Amino acid sequence: MERGCGMESWKGCAYTALIVFGYLVRGNKVLIVRRANDPYKGQRTVPGGRKQRDETLREALVREIEEETGCRVRSMEYAGMLHAIVEGRDMEYLSVYFISRDFDGEPRDSEEGTVEWMDIDESLTMEDMHPIYLRLVPYILKGNYPMEGAMRISADDASEYMLFGPGEHPAPEAR
């Protein structure tokens, strides 16, 4: 397998979809969306979605949150990223996370799903919470950010996570 990714050849290079997610927080509550559509249909998670062409990551987040919740983000902090590699696929995914305590509007349901304010600790006990949300809360909502992570999903859907908080910089093992 060719490993080079120089300008002369893109063969072997990953194609990566950019996805943004936003944690809207008021006190000890986080705004949660129960997804009405795939991906994640029926599961609860934070608002977010795919970045569109010509958008910055922050512009994409403002758009996604407004579409899904009716809230307008005024300011946000970078909270981290998670790189997902799915065995056998040409496409990889990079999810970028932000946190905001500065936004306008009252949340409302949308065609993307129903929204609700949920106590952060209670959200960790809900059976229908998305598993990535559950793994990221100790970093993002407990103040241990920016976080960095990677996950590998095998052909049989088993997931391997590697998550790190600020100041943690282990070298990856050679593959």
Side-chain angles (χ1 to χ4, degrees):
M1 179 164 111
E2 184 178 324
R3 287 295 213 183
C5 246
M7 292 301 289
E8 66 282 353
S9 172
W10 286 86
K11 187 176 180 182
C13 295
Y15 290 90
T16 306
L18 292 170
I19 306 164
V20 293
F21 289 99
Y23 289 78
L24 288 120
V25 177
R26 278 192 181 150
N28 66 335
K29 295 191 180 285
V30 60
L31 189 61
I32 297 295
V33 176
R34 182 189 302 266
R35 298 278 178 199
N37 308 307
D38 285 324
Y40 313 147
K41 184 176 182 174
Q43 293 183 309
R44 295 180 190 185
T45 190
V46 293
R50 289 173 280 210
K51 184 190 105 43
Q52 295 177 355
R53 188 179 316 277
D54 296 327
E55 283 182 316
T56 67
L57 293 170
R58 290 172 185 264
E59 289 167 345
L61 182 70
V62 167
R63 177 186 51 77
E64 285 288 347
I65 286 179
E66 192 163 3
E67 286 174 3
E68 292 185 17
T69 72
C71 294
R72 178 80 179 165
V73 173
R74 291 189 306 231
S75 68
M76 64 189 86
E77 286 181 76
Y78 171 73
M81 65 180 161
L82 179 66
H83 178 197
I85 301 166
V86 183
E87 185 177 286
R89 286 202 194 158
D90 290 336
M91 181 69 69
E92 296 181 1
Y93 305 89
L94 183 63
S95 295
V96 181
Y97 298 88
F98 295 91
I99 187 167
S100 177
R101 293 175 178 85
D102 183 19
F103 51 91
D104 291 320
E106 282 305 310
R108 52 127 181 91
D109 297 344
S110 72
E111 62 186 39
E112 296 294 325
T114 57
V115 296
E116 65 182 303
W117 286 108
M118 188 173 285
D119 178 84
I120 292 168
D121 291 331
E122 179 188 346
S123 74
L124 296 172
T125 66
M126 306 302 291
E127 288 184 20
D128 57 356
M129 292 303 285
H130 192 276
I132 294 174
Y133 171 90
L134 296 172
R135 288 186 182 271
L136 297 185
V137 164
Y139 295 93
I140 295 173
L141 293 181
K142 302 295 184 176
N144 192 22
Y145 63 87
M147 58 76 57
E148 180 182 337
M151 65 183 281
R152 290 184 183 278
I153 304 170
S154 66
D156 62 357
D157 277 340
S159 298
E160 172 192 356
Y161 291 87
M162 296 145 286
L163 302 173
F164 308 103
E168 299 174 354
H169 304 287
E173 294 180 22
R175 290 193 63 78

PDB file of all heavy atoms in Angstrom, residues 129-155:
ATOM      1  N   MET A 129     -28.587   7.719  24.901  1.00  0.00           N
ATOM      2  CA  MET A 129     -27.556   8.713  24.575  1.00  0.00           C
ATOM      3  C   MET A 129     -26.555   8.078  23.621  1.00  0.00           C
ATOM      4  O   MET A 129     -26.195   6.904  23.768  1.00  0.00           O
ATOM      5  CB  MET A 129     -26.829   9.198  25.828  1.00  0.00           C
ATOM      6  CG  MET A 129     -27.699  10.019  26.762  1.00  0.00           C
ATOM      7  SD  MET A 129     -28.448  11.481  26.020  1.00  0.00           S
ATOM      8  CE  MET A 129     -27.051  12.557  25.924  1.00  0.00           C
ATOM      9  N   HIS A 130     -26.097   8.858  22.656  1.00  0.00           N
ATOM     10  CA  HIS A 130     -25.118   8.344  21.700  1.00  0.00           C
ATOM     11  C   HIS A 130     -23.828   8.000  22.444  1.00  0.00           C
ATOM     12  O   HIS A 130     -23.393   8.752  23.320  1.00  0.00           O
ATOM     13  CB  HIS A 130     -24.854   9.376  20.604  1.00  0.00           C
ATOM     14  CG  HIS A 130     -24.101   8.806  19.459  1.00  0.00           C
ATOM     15  ND1 HIS A 130     -22.736   8.698  19.465  1.00  0.00           N
ATOM     16  CD2 HIS A 130     -24.524   8.268  18.296  1.00  0.00           C
ATOM     17  CE1 HIS A 130     -22.341   8.123  18.352  1.00  0.00           C
ATOM     18  NE2 HIS A 130     -23.408   7.860  17.617  1.00  0.00           N
ATOM     19  N   PRO A 131     -23.199   6.862  22.130  1.00  0.00           N
ATOM     20  CA  PRO A 131     -22.005   6.445  22.874  1.00  0.00           C
ATOM     21  C   PRO A 131     -20.831   7.426  22.778  1.00  0.00           C
ATOM     22  O   PRO A 131     -20.044   7.536  23.722  1.00  0.00           O
ATOM     23  CB  PRO A 131     -21.634   5.091  22.270  1.00  0.00           C
ATOM     24  CG  PRO A 131     -22.512   4.887  21.094  1.00  0.00           C
ATOM     25  CD  PRO A 131     -23.626   5.865  21.146  1.00  0.00           C
ATOM     26  N   ILE A 132     -20.708   8.155  21.686  1.00  0.00           N
ATOM     27  CA  ILE A 132     -19.620   9.135  21.600  1.00  0.00           C
ATOM     28  C   ILE A 132     -19.885  10.292  22.567  1.00  0.00           C
ATOM     29  O   ILE A 132     -18.975  10.762  23.244  1.00  0.00           O
ATOM     30  CB  ILE A 132     -19.423   9.623  20.153  1.00  0.00           C
ATOM     31  CG1 ILE A 132     -18.929   8.464  19.284  1.00  0.00           C
ATOM     32  CG2 ILE A 132     -18.431  10.791  20.102  1.00  0.00           C
ATOM     33  CD1 ILE A 132     -18.841   8.775  17.806  1.00  0.00           C
ATOM     34  N   TYR A 133     -21.127  10.729  22.672  1.00  0.00           N
ATOM     35  CA  TYR A 133     -21.476  11.766  23.649  1.00  0.00           C
ATOM     36  C   TYR A 133     -21.030  11.332  25.043  1.00  0.00           C
ATOM     37  O   TYR A 133     -20.390  12.091  25.771  1.00  0.00           O
ATOM     38  CB  TYR A 133     -22.986  12.038  23.627  1.00  0.00           C
ATOM     39  CG  TYR A 133     -23.453  12.924  24.755  1.00  0.00           C
ATOM     40  CD1 TYR A 133     -23.482  14.312  24.603  1.00  0.00           C
ATOM     41  CD2 TYR A 133     -23.852  12.395  25.974  1.00  0.00           C
ATOM     42  CE1 TYR A 133     -23.892  15.129  25.635  1.00  0.00           C
ATOM     43  CE2 TYR A 133     -24.266  13.207  27.019  1.00  0.00           C
ATOM     44  CZ  TYR A 133     -24.280  14.575  26.844  1.00  0.00           C
ATOM     45  OH  TYR A 133     -24.683  15.385  27.882  1.00  0.00           O
ATOM     46  N   LEU A 134     -21.361  10.099  25.396  1.00  0.00           N
ATOM     47  CA  LEU A 134     -21.021   9.598  26.729  1.00  0.00           C
ATOM     48  C   LEU A 134     -19.513   9.598  26.971  1.00  0.00           C
ATOM     49  O   LEU A 134     -19.054   9.889  28.071  1.00  0.00           O
ATOM     50  CB  LEU A 134     -21.583   8.185  26.930  1.00  0.00           C
ATOM     51  CG  LEU A 134     -23.109   8.083  26.907  1.00  0.00           C
ATOM     52  CD1 LEU A 134     -23.543   6.627  26.925  1.00  0.00           C
ATOM     53  CD2 LEU A 134     -23.731   8.865  28.052  1.00  0.00           C
ATOM     54  N   ARG A 135     -18.743   9.309  25.954  1.00  0.00           N
ATOM     55  CA  ARG A 135     -17.279   9.291  26.094  1.00  0.00           C
ATOM     56  C   ARG A 135     -16.674  10.694  26.164  1.00  0.00           C
ATOM     57  O   ARG A 135     -15.638  10.883  26.782  1.00  0.00           O
ATOM     58  CB  ARG A 135     -16.644   8.528  24.946  1.00  0.00           C
ATOM     59  CG  ARG A 135     -16.874   7.029  25.058  1.00  0.00           C
ATOM     60  CD  ARG A 135     -16.105   6.303  23.984  1.00  0.00           C
ATOM     61  NE  ARG A 135     -16.346   4.886  24.035  1.00  0.00           N
ATOM     62  CZ  ARG A 135     -15.640   4.025  24.771  1.00  0.00           C
ATOM     63  NH1 ARG A 135     -14.654   4.447  25.512  1.00  0.00           N
ATOM     64  NH2 ARG A 135     -15.930   2.735  24.746  1.00  0.00           N
ATOM     65  N   LEU A 136     -17.318  11.671  25.533  1.00  0.00           N
ATOM     66  CA  LEU A 136     -16.741  13.009  25.472  1.00  0.00           C
ATOM     67  C   LEU A 136     -17.135  13.914  26.639  1.00  0.00           C
ATOM     68  O   LEU A 136     -16.419  14.871  26.943  1.00  0.00           O
ATOM     69  CB  LEU A 136     -17.096  13.684  24.151  1.00  0.00           C
ATOM     70  CG  LEU A 136     -16.555  13.005  22.895  1.00  0.00           C
ATOM     71  CD1 LEU A 136     -16.877  13.836  21.673  1.00  0.00           C
ATOM     72  CD2 LEU A 136     -15.070  12.732  22.986  1.00  0.00           C
ATOM     73  N   VAL A 137     -18.250  13.628  27.302  1.00  0.00           N
ATOM     74  CA  VAL A 137     -18.696  14.480  28.406  1.00  0.00           C
ATOM     75  C   VAL A 137     -17.624  14.682  29.477  1.00  0.00           C
ATOM     76  O   VAL A 137     -17.421  15.806  29.942  1.00  0.00           O
ATOM     77  CB  VAL A 137     -20.018  13.951  29.021  1.00  0.00           C
ATOM     78  CG1 VAL A 137     -20.287  14.572  30.386  1.00  0.00           C
ATOM     79  CG2 VAL A 137     -21.170  14.262  28.077  1.00  0.00           C
ATOM     80  N   PRO A 138     -16.899  13.632  29.896  1.00  0.00           N
ATOM     81  CA  PRO A 138     -15.871  13.881  30.929  1.00  0.00           C
ATOM     82  C   PRO A 138     -14.808  14.891  30.501  1.00  0.00           C
ATOM     83  O   PRO A 138     -14.166  15.509  31.341  1.00  0.00           O
ATOM     84  CB  PRO A 138     -15.247  12.496  31.146  1.00  0.00           C
ATOM     85  CG  PRO A 138     -16.310  11.537  30.729  1.00  0.00           C
ATOM     86  CD  PRO A 138     -17.024  12.215  29.589  1.00  0.00           C
ATOM     87  N   TYR A 139     -14.636  15.071  29.223  1.00  0.00           N
ATOM     88  CA  TYR A 139     -13.679  16.055  28.730  1.00  0.00           C
ATOM     89  C   TYR A 139     -14.358  17.409  28.534  1.00  0.00           C
ATOM     90  O   TYR A 139     -13.983  18.400  29.154  1.00  0.00           O
ATOM     91  CB  TYR A 139     -13.070  15.591  27.400  1.00  0.00           C
ATOM     92  CG  TYR A 139     -12.238  14.348  27.552  1.00  0.00           C
ATOM     93  CD1 TYR A 139     -12.796  13.093  27.352  1.00  0.00           C
ATOM     94  CD2 TYR A 139     -10.902  14.428  27.922  1.00  0.00           C
ATOM     95  CE1 TYR A 139     -12.029  11.947  27.504  1.00  0.00           C
ATOM     96  CE2 TYR A 139     -10.129  13.290  28.078  1.00  0.00           C
ATOM     97  CZ  TYR A 139     -10.701  12.052  27.871  1.00  0.00           C
ATOM     98  OH  TYR A 139      -9.949  10.929  28.033  1.00  0.00           O
ATOM     99  N   ILE A 140     -15.348  17.446  27.689  1.00  0.00           N
ATOM    100  CA  ILE A 140     -15.906  18.726  27.257  1.00  0.00           C
ATOM    101  C   ILE A 140     -16.765  19.384  28.337  1.00  0.00           C
ATOM    102  O   ILE A 140     -16.603  20.562  28.624  1.00  0.00           O
ATOM    103  CB  ILE A 140     -16.680  18.547  25.941  1.00  0.00           C
ATOM    104  CG1 ILE A 140     -15.690  18.131  24.837  1.00  0.00           C
ATOM    105  CG2 ILE A 140     -17.424  19.829  25.561  1.00  0.00           C
ATOM    106  CD1 ILE A 140     -16.314  17.760  23.519  1.00  0.00           C
ATOM    107  N   LEU A 141     -17.670  18.642  28.957  1.00  0.00           N
ATOM    108  CA  LEU A 141     -18.573  19.270  29.924  1.00  0.00           C
ATOM    109  C   LEU A 141     -18.019  19.289  31.340  1.00  0.00           C
ATOM    110  O   LEU A 141     -18.590  19.924  32.210  1.00  0.00           O
ATOM    111  CB  LEU A 141     -19.946  18.585  29.894  1.00  0.00           C
ATOM    112  CG  LEU A 141     -20.721  18.802  28.594  1.00  0.00           C
ATOM    113  CD1 LEU A 141     -22.062  18.114  28.648  1.00  0.00           C
ATOM    114  CD2 LEU A 141     -20.882  20.282  28.283  1.00  0.00           C
ATOM    115  N   LYS A 142     -16.927  18.617  31.565  1.00  0.00           N
ATOM    116  CA  LYS A 142     -16.300  18.650  32.894  1.00  0.00           C
ATOM    117  C   LYS A 142     -15.059  19.538  32.893  1.00  0.00           C
ATOM    118  O   LYS A 142     -14.267  19.525  33.823  1.00  0.00           O
ATOM    119  CB  LYS A 142     -15.949  17.227  33.360  1.00  0.00           C
ATOM    120  CG  LYS A 142     -17.132  16.280  33.435  1.00  0.00           C
ATOM    121  CD  LYS A 142     -18.134  16.691  34.484  1.00  0.00           C
ATOM    122  CE  LYS A 142     -19.243  15.651  34.588  1.00  0.00           C
ATOM    123  NZ  LYS A 142     -20.200  15.937  35.632  1.00  0.00           N
ATOM    124  N   GLY A 143     -14.865  20.323  31.813  1.00  0.00           N
ATOM    125  CA  GLY A 143     -13.808  21.320  31.760  1.00  0.00           C
ATOM    126  C   GLY A 143     -12.429  20.800  31.407  1.00  0.00           C
ATOM    127  O   GLY A 143     -11.440  21.506  31.569  1.00  0.00           O
ATOM    128  N   ASN A 144     -12.337  19.587  30.900  1.00  0.00           N
ATOM    129  CA  ASN A 144     -11.050  18.980  30.566  1.00  0.00           C
ATOM    130  C   ASN A 144     -10.809  19.067  29.057  1.00  0.00           C
ATOM    131  O   ASN A 144     -10.595  18.068  28.395  1.00  0.00           O
ATOM    132  CB  ASN A 144     -11.034  17.526  31.044  1.00  0.00           C
ATOM    133  CG  ASN A 144      -9.653  16.912  31.012  1.00  0.00           C
ATOM    134  OD1 ASN A 144      -8.655  17.610  31.032  1.00  0.00           O
ATOM    135  ND2 ASN A 144      -9.611  15.604  30.946  1.00  0.00           N
ATOM    136  N   TYR A 145     -10.895  20.278  28.531  1.00  0.00           N
ATOM    137  CA  TYR A 145     -10.732  20.466  27.096  1.00  0.00           C
ATOM    138  C   TYR A 145      -9.734  21.567  26.830  1.00  0.00           C
ATOM    139  O   TYR A 145      -9.405  22.318  27.763  1.00  0.00           O
ATOM    140  CB  TYR A 145     -12.077  20.748  26.417  1.00  0.00           C
ATOM    141  CG  TYR A 145     -12.785  22.008  26.850  1.00  0.00           C
ATOM    142  CD1 TYR A 145     -12.516  23.228  26.234  1.00  0.00           C
ATOM    143  CD2 TYR A 145     -13.728  21.993  27.876  1.00  0.00           C
ATOM    144  CE1 TYR A 145     -13.154  24.387  26.618  1.00  0.00           C
ATOM    145  CE2 TYR A 145     -14.367  23.148  28.271  1.00  0.00           C
ATOM    146  CZ  TYR A 145     -14.077  24.339  27.642  1.00  0.00           C
ATOM    147  OH  TYR A 145     -14.713  25.484  28.033  1.00  0.00           O
ATOM    148  N   PRO A 146      -9.188  21.681  25.622  1.00  0.00           N
ATOM    149  CA  PRO A 146      -9.587  20.924  24.438  1.00  0.00           C
ATOM    150  C   PRO A 146      -9.100  19.488  24.509  1.00  0.00           C
ATOM    151  O   PRO A 146      -8.015  19.199  24.989  1.00  0.00           O
ATOM    152  CB  PRO A 146      -8.926  21.670  23.278  1.00  0.00           C
ATOM    153  CG  PRO A 146      -7.742  22.346  23.884  1.00  0.00           C
ATOM    154  CD  PRO A 146      -8.128  22.655  25.307  1.00  0.00           C
ATOM    155  N   MET A 147      -9.947  18.596  24.035  1.00  0.00           N
ATOM    156  CA  MET A 147      -9.615  17.176  23.980  1.00  0.00           C
ATOM    157  C   MET A 147      -9.240  16.819  22.553  1.00  0.00           C
ATOM    158  O   MET A 147      -9.562  17.537  21.623  1.00  0.00           O
ATOM    159  CB  MET A 147     -10.758  16.302  24.493  1.00  0.00           C
ATOM    160  CG  MET A 147     -12.097  16.435  23.784  1.00  0.00           C
ATOM    161  SD  MET A 147     -12.309  15.660  22.170  1.00  0.00           S
ATOM    162  CE  MET A 147     -11.933  13.991  22.503  1.00  0.00           C
ATOM    163  N   GLU A 148      -8.547  15.725  22.441  1.00  0.00           N
ATOM    164  CA  GLU A 148      -8.198  15.197  21.129  1.00  0.00           C
ATOM    165  C   GLU A 148      -8.439  13.709  21.165  1.00  0.00           C
ATOM    166  O   GLU A 148      -8.144  13.054  22.171  1.00  0.00           O
ATOM    167  CB  GLU A 148      -6.736  15.475  20.810  1.00  0.00           C
ATOM    168  CG  GLU A 148      -6.307  14.943  19.465  1.00  0.00           C
ATOM    169  CD  GLU A 148      -4.832  15.193  19.185  1.00  0.00           C
ATOM    170  OE1 GLU A 148      -4.251  16.102  19.777  1.00  0.00           O
ATOM    171  OE2 GLU A 148      -4.290  14.447  18.359  1.00  0.00           O
ATOM    172  N   GLY A 149      -8.986  13.185  20.102  1.00  0.00           N
ATOM    173  CA  GLY A 149      -9.247  11.766  20.104  1.00  0.00           C
ATOM    174  C   GLY A 149      -9.283  11.167  18.723  1.00  0.00           C
ATOM    175  O   GLY A 149      -9.348  11.859  17.711  1.00  0.00           O
ATOM    176  N   ALA A 150      -9.214   9.853  18.732  1.00  0.00           N
ATOM    177  CA  ALA A 150      -9.356   9.079  17.505  1.00  0.00           C
ATOM    178  C   ALA A 150     -10.147   7.835  17.845  1.00  0.00           C
ATOM    179  O   ALA A 150     -10.121   7.357  18.982  1.00  0.00           O
ATOM    180  CB  ALA A 150      -7.987   8.703  16.941  1.00  0.00           C
ATOM    181  N   MET A 151     -10.862   7.348  16.875  1.00  0.00           N
ATOM    182  CA  MET A 151     -11.556   6.077  17.044  1.00  0.00           C
ATOM    183  C   MET A 151     -11.411   5.289  15.758  1.00  0.00           C
ATOM    184  O   MET A 151     -11.425   5.851  14.671  1.00  0.00           O
ATOM    185  CB  MET A 151     -13.020   6.274  17.429  1.00  0.00           C
ATOM    186  CG  MET A 151     -13.871   6.945  16.395  1.00  0.00           C
ATOM    187  SD  MET A 151     -15.570   7.231  16.923  1.00  0.00           S
ATOM    188  CE  MET A 151     -16.283   5.635  16.704  1.00  0.00           C
ATOM    189  N   ARG A 152     -11.231   4.012  15.927  1.00  0.00           N
ATOM    190  CA  ARG A 152     -11.176   3.095  14.797  1.00  0.00           C
ATOM    191  C   ARG A 152     -12.374   2.179  14.911  1.00  0.00           C
ATOM    192  O   ARG A 152     -12.617   1.599  15.972  1.00  0.00           O
ATOM    193  CB  ARG A 152      -9.900   2.268  14.826  1.00  0.00           C
ATOM    194  CG  ARG A 152      -8.668   3.064  14.535  1.00  0.00           C
ATOM    195  CD  ARG A 152      -7.435   2.150  14.482  1.00  0.00           C
ATOM    196  NE  ARG A 152      -6.246   2.941  14.270  1.00  0.00           N
ATOM    197  CZ  ARG A 152      -5.834   3.386  13.088  1.00  0.00           C
ATOM    198  NH1 ARG A 152      -6.509   3.089  12.006  1.00  0.00           N
ATOM    199  NH2 ARG A 152      -4.747   4.107  12.985  1.00  0.00           N
ATOM    200  N   ILE A 153     -13.097   2.077  13.802  1.00  0.00           N
ATOM    201  CA  ILE A 153     -14.274   1.209  13.766  1.00  0.00           C
ATOM    202  C   ILE A 153     -13.951   0.075  12.811  1.00  0.00           C
ATOM    203  O   ILE A 153     -13.684   0.299  11.631  1.00  0.00           O
ATOM    204  CB  ILE A 153     -15.526   1.985  13.316  1.00  0.00           C
ATOM    205  CG1 ILE A 153     -15.748   3.188  14.243  1.00  0.00           C
ATOM    206  CG2 ILE A 153     -16.736   1.063  13.282  1.00  0.00           C
ATOM    207  CD1 ILE A 153     -16.804   4.147  13.757  1.00  0.00           C
ATOM    208  N   SER A 154     -13.969  -1.135  13.336  1.00  0.00           N
ATOM    209  CA  SER A 154     -13.632  -2.303  12.518  1.00  0.00           C
ATOM    210  C   SER A 154     -14.829  -2.720  11.673  1.00  0.00           C
ATOM    211  O   SER A 154     -15.953  -2.231  11.865  1.00  0.00           O
ATOM    212  CB  SER A 154     -13.175  -3.454  13.410  1.00  0.00           C
ATOM    213  OG  SER A 154     -14.250  -3.895  14.204  1.00  0.00           O
ATOM    214  N   ALA A 155     -14.596  -3.639  10.752  1.00  0.00           N
ATOM    215  CA  ALA A 155     -15.648  -4.127   9.858  1.00  0.00           C
ATOM    216  C   ALA A 155     -16.809  -4.746  10.633  1.00  0.00           C
ATOM    217  O   ALA A 155     -17.941  -4.744  10.162  1.00  0.00           O
ATOM    218  CB  ALA A 155     -15.072  -5.127   8.866  1.00  0.00           C
TER     219      ALA A 155
END
